Amino acid sequence: MTQPINNPHSAEGDTLSHQRKPTLSKLPWWQKRSVTIAMALLGLLAVLVAITIKVIEHENQLATGKPILLQLAPVDPRGFMQGDYMALSYTIERDIFDALRPQYQSLQPLTPALDSELEGSELQESAPNESGSDFRIYDPMQGYVIVAVDKHNVGHFVRLADDNNQHDLTANERSIHYRIRRGSVQLATNAFFFQEGQAKAFEAAEYGLFRVNDKGEPLLTDMVDKNYKVIALD
């Protein structure tokens, strides 16, 4: 009878092969290829859903937001990369700072030299300048500015409020959310973009047209001239 031949190399190879096979199955479930792909697709879907929601909210605010015109302070058209933009400031910004002035009357004004050194730093404090004519606040804060809307939908400063309580408003009053950052009032945007070469037409702008939703969030849509006409280009 023929005896089986024992091959130690073959046995060793079978053992190594047996040890290699389950390597893939030992991976944690979250590291498996199918799970990784599924998680990536879910992440992409979440991003698309978030973008879609923002677009819907934007379109809804354009359609249902209450129109308010805010008078522009001096503007400055400048060239900007692939087009032009108009740097915006609003006269109501000064009204907001003036209304906040009494809270800071006890502060000593900064000297021009110290003000220059601290500008843009965390150490700069809220204070008027020496003349008191350009009072600004550098502490971050936010709130609501209440405006009264006239027959042309121009908003005129009435008062400041800490919250957006619609029950405190009269029929012609609107609340607009504002923030103060680094000595500037931020409403919606500080720039209005238009196509290159159209700066001349927007030199006639006197107002910014906003659509304001129930949360007091303003959305800038157009520039308006002194006759309350939207500046529309062909």
Side-chain angles (χ1 to χ4, degrees):
M1 179 181 294
T2 304
Q3 296 295 327
I5 300 174
N6 293 327
N7 189 338
H9 297 288
S10 176
E12 183 181 355
D14 291 342
T15 302
L16 292 175
S17 176
H18 179 71
Q19 291 176 346
R20 292 193 189 103
K21 287 181 180 179
T23 301
L24 185 60
S25 63
K26 289 183 178 180
L27 287 174
W29 65 268
W30 63 84
Q31 292 183 1
K32 292 182 178 179
R33 180 179 176 84
S34 58
V35 175
T36 302
I37 294 175
M39 293 177 65
L41 291 176
L42 287 175
L44 177 60
L45 179 61
V47 171
L48 292 176
V49 169
I51 293 175
T52 301
I53 292 175
K54 292 299 294 183
V55 170
I56 293 174
E57 290 177 347
H58 180 88
E59 294 297 331
N60 184 61
Q61 187 166 351
L62 285 176
T64 63
K66 298 175 182 177
I68 298 178
L69 297 178
L70 294 181
Q71 187 177 21
L72 298 174
V75 295
D76 179 21
R78 303 175 184 177
F80 183 78
M81 295 180 65
Q82 298 180 354
D84 288 349
Y85 74 93
M86 178 182 294
L88 300 179
S89 181
Y90 307 93
T91 57
I92 200 169
E93 295 175 15
R94 174 49 43 202
D95 295 326
I96 292 173
F97 279 131
D98 288 344
L100 292 169
R101 184 193 295 265
Q103 301 179 27
Y104 295 85
Q105 283 182 337
S106 61
L107 295 177
Q108 296 298 321
L110 295 172
T111 64
L114 181 59
D115 191 30
S116 177
E117 289 181 12
L118 296 180
E119 184 175 1
S121 72
E122 296 298 329
L123 297 177
Q124 187 174 24
E125 298 184 9
S126 307
N129 63 16
E130 290 187 343
S131 64
S133 61
D134 189 25
F135 174 83
R136 290 182 179 274
I137 294 172
Y138 291 86
D139 295 330
M141 64 170 51
Q142 61 182 346
Y144 293 85
V145 55
I146 310 302
V147 299
V149 178
D150 63 21
K151 64 179 181 179
H152 298 294
N153 287 326
V154 177
H156 302 276
F157 178 85
V158 177
R159 64 185 181 277
L160 298 182
D162 294 329
D163 52 32
N164 181 30
N165 191 341
Q166 297 291 319
H167 298 293
D168 293 339
L169 304 179
T170 63
N172 70 325
E173 289 183 345
R174 307 285 185 268
S175 64
I176 302 176
H177 182 258
Y178 74 88
R179 295 186 302 162
I180 294 180
R181 296 292 185 272
R182 301 179 69 85
S184 297
V185 175
Q186 299 177 3
L187 294 172
T189 176
N190 61 353
F192 182 78
F193 293 86
F194 45 82
Q195 293 183 5
E196 188 174 0
Q198 296 179 342
K200 187 68 177 178
F202 288 97
E203 290 180 1
E206 293 286 337
Y207 303 92
L209 174 58
F210 292 86
R211 293 283 179 173
V212 182
N213 61 18
D214 292 337
K215 298 178 181 179
E217 299 169 338
L219 176 64
L220 180 65
T221 62
D222 294 286
M223 291 289 104
V224 176
D225 64 20
K226 64 180 180 181
N227 297 316
Y228 312 107
K229 300 292 185 181
V230 172
I231 299 176
L233 301 176
D234 299 331

